[in-house]
Structure formats: structure tokens, C-alpha cells
Amino acid sequence: MNIFDKAISICKQIKINFSYLAKSASVLTTSIIASFQILGFLCGFDDILPEDVNFLKRFLISVFIVALIWLIMFVIKCKYVLGKEKIAVIDAGNVHHVYVEYGDLFENSGERRNIVITANRCFDTLVDNDLISETTIHGMAVKRICTDGYTPEMLNVALQNDLVENQQLKPDRILTTEDKRKGNLKRYPVGTVAEFKKAPEDKISYFFVGMSAFNSALHPETSDEEYMITVQSVIEYCNLRSQRFPVYMPIIGTHGRNNKKSERELLEYMVGALRFNKHLINTDIHIVVYSGHRETVSIYGL
């Protein structure tokens, strides 16, 4: 990235974070002015300006000084904020936190962790850009798992076995090929989670959560109520099955929403739901915003 592109990127980041930055700069400016007022009582600043300076000039000078302090605080806050990759938004009160961060959900850090994957309620694994798109979190997860001889069919069997044998769940509807022309036809209730681990020694466990339902055109659909159930289900499942290992999740609902909520709106809802369910947080939870969306999705002021 050249200097010009970097400057444009910084301007875009300042734009989406302007409200937060301006508010923070105002708070800092108020604190500094209050400190000067306290010092004024102790030291006396009445003689700083000549006595012949009238009220209007004194007022304009004061406004200029306040504006200058605000601008300096704004620049300092920009430098601090735009350089951060991760912020803590919730303290669960038990040494665990909820973080929102820029990054790659699938980055191999070598640590033991759980990754939440939003899937359709049939838990399909066919990534053919018709049933599942390779650009979705679901599609990327399947492609990442299915390497070194491990096939989508094997993943499909593993997910179905977890639902039926391990959790003893039953689908709430059996679809026909007219309802859904390809893929699995057993549709599970919204918020159902299928757990997967490729091998016992692997450090990553995947929590596939069923959220969307395909229509006859294989377009995923999710109502607002179903979305809320999904988020709540993820929180409760992480409480039960995280084994105290950190949980990483994307912004849930960025694909297949009917009302086209923005990523920021979905992020705000997720943080609000986690804050409401703070008593269920027993591990560190990381909401990962794709690093390429740094210029369009703010993680501050949550």
C-alpha cells in the first residue's frame, strides 16, 4: 500500500469512527480544562492577558485555545484508536472478557480454541457456489476442513452423527426435492449446533450453528426472531461446551438476512446480547471482524 492509499484508508477509518473519536476528544478536553480551572484557583491566571484586552478578544482567544486542545486530543485519540486491533467490550467479572477485533477468523494461532460457524439448518457441506458459496464463512470453513483426503461427504456424516447420535436431536421438518433441490433434506430447529473436531488431537473445535433456511431457489432466509434465537443459542452452547477454551466467532448474520442489517448493527446486537447474558460467559469470547472491513465497520463505541 502506497502513501496515497494509506492516507485514504486512514481518512475512511476516521470517518466511520468520527462520532466515537469526537466524543472521546471532548471528554479529554473537558478534563484538561477542569484541571486548568483548579490550577487557576491555586496560581491565578488573571494576569496572563493584558488588562486592555476586551471581553470579545478574551472570549475568542479562549475559544481558540479550547478548539486547539480538542484538536490535539482528537489527533492523539486517532493515533491510539486506529492502531489498535482488539478492544475489550465486556468484563464478565470472572477474569474472562468479550473482545471485538479485526483479523482472520481462521488464522492458525496454534492455540486451543473453538470457532463458531454459521450454517444452514440442514448442515450442508457441498460448496459448489450454488448450494453453499465459497465466499461465505460456512463455505470457507468447509474448504478449510476438507483437506489432506478429508472430504465434504465425510464432514457431512460427522455433523449428522453429532446431531443424531451424540445429541439425539430430531429434525423439525423433512424437506422434499421440490423444497430444496440438492443437499440434505433434514432441517433442524433454528439455533441447533453441530459440533465437529477433525481429529482428537486437533486444537480446533467447530461449532456449526444452524440459522438460515433455504427457499426453493436455494437462497438462505432468516427472520429477525430466528436471528435472535440463533445468537442466544450460540451464547448458551458456548457456556456448555467451550470447555473454558476461547471462542472465536464472526459477526453472525452477514449472509442470508432478509432485512439487510449492516455489519455494525449486527455487531451491536451481538454485543448487547452477550452483555445481557454476561452470567453465561465462562471463557474469553472473540468477535472477529474481517480485517478487510476496517474501513467500513467500526469496533468502537460498543
Side-chain angles (χ1 to χ4, degrees), residues 2 8 22 24 30 37 57 67 70 83 128 146 150 156 198 202 215-216 219 235 250 275-276 278 285 295:
N2 57 42
I8 291 177
S24 299
T30 302
Q37 288 177 331
K57 288 183 178 179
W70 184 90
D128 61 351
C146 296
Y150 198 90
N156 187 53
K198 192 171 180 179
D202 277 4
N215 60 22
S216 58
H219 178 74
I235 295 171
R275 188 171 284 122
F276 183 79
K278 186 169 68 172
I285 295 178
E295 299 173 2

Side-chain angles (χ1 to χ4, degrees), residues 26-252:
S26 298
V27 171
L28 292 172
T29 301
T30 302
S31 299
I32 291 172
I33 292 173
S35 299
F36 275 119
Q37 288 177 331
I38 294 172
L39 289 173
F41 284 117
L42 300 175
C43 305
F45 292 150
D46 295 337
D47 298 331
I48 292 179
L49 295 176
E51 293 183 0
D52 59 346
V53 176
N54 61 34
F55 173 78
L56 179 60
K57 288 183 178 179
R58 287 175 180 268
F59 175 76
L60 292 175
I61 291 171
S62 298
V63 170
F64 173 78
I65 292 173
V66 171
L68 181 61
I69 294 172
W70 184 90
L71 182 60
I72 293 172
M73 294 301 103
F74 185 84
V75 172
I76 291 174
K77 198 66 182 178
C78 283
K79 186 175 181 180
Y80 174 75
V81 165
L82 300 184
K84 293 191 72 173
E85 297 289 331
K86 177 172 70 175
I87 60 169
V89 294
I90 300 173
D91 182 351
N94 55 2
V95 309
H96 296 298
H97 296 79
V98 175
Y99 300 94
V100 180
E101 60 196 74
Y102 293 113
D104 180 358
L105 181 66
F106 301 107
E107 182 180 3
N108 186 9
S109 62
E111 68 173 337
R112 187 81 177 268
R113 58 178 172 163
N114 306 290
I115 299 180
V116 174
I117 304 297
T118 49
N120 63 70
R121 288 161 54 190
C122 292
F123 297 92
D124 291 298
T125 59
L126 177 60
V127 182
D128 61 351
N129 295 318
D130 183 26
L131 183 64
I132 302 173
S133 171
E134 62 184 3
T135 63
T136 62
I137 295 294
H138 188 184
M140 287 187 283
V142 172
K143 293 189 71 174
R144 186 175 185 86
I145 292 169
C146 296
T147 57
D148 300 325
Y150 198 90
T151 66
E153 292 76 16
M154 294 166 67
L155 174 60
N156 187 53
V157 170
L159 292 175
Q160 298 300 320
N161 284 344
D162 181 69
L163 293 169
V164 177
E165 297 180 8
N166 297 342
Q167 301 190 59
Q168 298 184 347
L169 299 177
K170 294 182 179 179
D172 63 355
R173 184 179 173 188
I174 305 298
L175 305 176
T176 67
T177 52
E178 293 182 356
D179 299 318
K180 182 168 174 272
R181 65 175 183 268
K182 64 170 65 173
N184 299 326
L185 297 179
K186 292 180 180 180
R187 179 186 291 170
Y188 288 86
V190 64
T192 298
V193 178
E195 190 171 334
F196 172 79
K197 197 172 185 179
K198 192 171 180 179
E201 65 275 11
D202 277 4
K203 293 184 177 182
I204 299 178
S205 294
Y206 294 90
F207 298 163
F208 285 82
V209 56
M211 181 179 69
S212 59
F214 283 121
N215 60 22
S216 58
L218 296 183
H219 178 74
E221 296 180 336
T222 310
S223 67
D224 285 337
E225 182 180 2
E226 290 169 338
Y227 177 77
M228 291 186 287
I229 292 172
T230 299
V231 173
Q232 184 65 30
S233 177
V234 167
I235 295 171
E236 293 175 1
Y237 194 87
C238 290
N239 171 262
L240 292 173
R241 291 291 301 162
S242 71
Q243 308 300 329
R244 303 300 175 93
F245 295 113
V247 174
Y248 289 77
M249 64 179 71
I251 299 179
I252 294 174

